[in-house]
Amino acid sequence: MSNIKIAIIGGSGLDDPQILKNPTELNIETPFGAPAGPLLSGQINGVEVVILARHGRAHTIMPTKVPYRANILALKQAGCTHIIATTACGSLKEEIKPRDLVFLDQFIDFTKQRNLTFFEDKVVHTTMAEPFCPQLRGVLITAAKNLQLAHHETGTMLTIEGPRFSTRAESRYFSGLGADVINMSTVPEVILARELGLCYGSIAMATDYDAWREDEAAVTWEMVLNVMKDNAEKVKKLLLEIIPKINFAGCQHCGVK
């Protein structure tokens, strides 16, 4: 346990210093620039934890401007060995409802050159199978079961650059690629974490499924914000449950001795 230092990346209430004991701020610069904000370092039941708000504490950074690579490198420089990343997402499948958690085991990186039309855009997508430590995913899933949280044990996240897609035609297309949920691009996090030898696990928090509704206007931004707030509280309980119990000794993926 002494070798483990866990980073939590999130927002929408997950960057809550109150869950840490004796929090202190770390200001770190990286070759990629500064991270989204100060790193909060402290303990949860004796385990060293660092929290970083991906979009800044005031959520003033637009998704396409998030310094993903700077965030990950700053956590590495802070001595973190494991990253638990949380991200809000929209579901592409009807069985995934708002307030459900999805424990991802696959990414599809979908880069789109927007030109005001959908079917004529140039698309490149690269499948990244099982980018996360299976032991970390297993710990998260077990905790979700113990807390009786609505969750899905597997899922493929489609990550994109630019505005969230929500039209029914686009959603059918993306679902055809095998995706379960969709969000802004967090692929740079995964890539750099793997390059740096950091164990990375992700919790996707479903916020809406307007793409699968006949009346898409029925889903308002206020409704999405309320679901995000509820999800943040749920995931905080999940993290407080698992962090004191994590033991990755002997995990080949993590390399913890």
Side-chain angles (χ1 to χ4, degrees):
M1 291 292 291
S2 60
N3 294 326
I4 292 176
K5 191 172 188 179
I6 298 173
I8 299 170
I9 305 179
S12 306
L14 285 163
D15 53 322
D16 182 358
Q18 295 183 8
I19 70 174
L20 294 178
K21 181 180 179 180
N22 300 323
T24 59
E25 286 195 1
L26 305 176
N27 291 289
I28 295 178
E29 289 286 334
T30 79
F32 300 122
L39 281 59
L40 290 173
S41 178
Q43 291 189 345
I44 296 178
N45 287 2
V47 180
E48 296 293 327
V49 176
V50 175
I51 297 178
L52 176 62
R54 184 185 286 116
H55 298 279
R57 291 183 184 172
H59 293 267
T60 56
I61 302 177
M62 294 299 292
T64 53
K65 302 297 183 181
V66 174
Y68 293 103
R69 294 179 69 85
N71 287 347
I72 298 300
L73 191 53
L75 293 170
K76 175 72 172 183
Q77 291 177 199
C80 295
T81 56
H82 295 69
I83 295 174
I84 300 175
T86 63
T87 183
C89 65
S91 61
L92 291 173
K93 297 194 174 177
E94 291 179 311
E95 59 267 26
I96 299 176
K97 306 299 184 185
R99 295 180 175 85
D100 284 0
L101 304 180
V102 183
F103 296 101
L104 303 165
D105 59 357
Q106 189 173 3
F107 262 130
I108 297 177
D109 182 13
F110 188 97
T111 303
K112 189 176 191 314
Q113 184 66 41
R114 297 182 64 79
N115 61 7
L116 302 181
T117 62
F118 170 63
F119 293 105
E120 297 179 2
D121 285 354
K122 181 179 180 181
V123 169
V124 177
H125 62 91
T126 303
T127 300
M128 299 168 56
E130 299 182 0
F132 311 121
C133 167
Q135 194 159 338
L136 179 54
R137 285 184 66 252
V139 171
L140 291 167
I141 290 169
T142 298
K145 289 179 179 178
N146 291 341
L147 293 172
Q148 298 182 325
L149 301 177
H151 68 281
H152 304 265
E153 296 191 15
T154 61
T156 297
M157 174 177 282
L158 181 76
T159 66
I160 62 171
E161 294 288 353
R164 178 177 59 83
F165 297 93
S166 62
T167 70
R168 199 171 179 85
E170 289 174 332
S171 297
R172 289 185 186 278
Y173 177 82
F174 293 137
S175 184
L177 295 177
D180 300 299
V181 295
I182 187 170
N183 83 333
M184 300 304 178
S185 180
T186 55
V187 168
E189 286 185 359
V190 179
I191 293 173
L192 189 57
R194 296 176 75 182
E195 289 176 357
L196 296 174
L198 295 171
C199 173
Y200 188 101
S202 183
I203 307 172
M205 304 180 294
T207 58
D208 67 271
Y209 57 107
D210 59 333
W212 287 99
R213 295 174 64 100
E214 292 295 338
D215 181 12
E216 295 182 10
V219 177
T220 66
W221 180 237
E222 288 74 19
M223 291 167 60
V224 173
L225 288 177
N226 286 333
V227 174
M228 290 173 68
K229 181 179 178 181
D230 290 345
N231 278 346
E233 294 302 315
K234 185 189 313 181
V235 174
K236 278 194 287 189
K237 290 180 181 178
L238 181 67
L239 296 176
L240 290 170
E241 169 78 11
I242 71 160
I243 285 175
K245 301 177 181 178
I246 288 179
N247 185 355
F248 291 105
C251 178
Q252 294 182 350
H253 189 282
C254 301
V256 177
K257 308 299 182 183

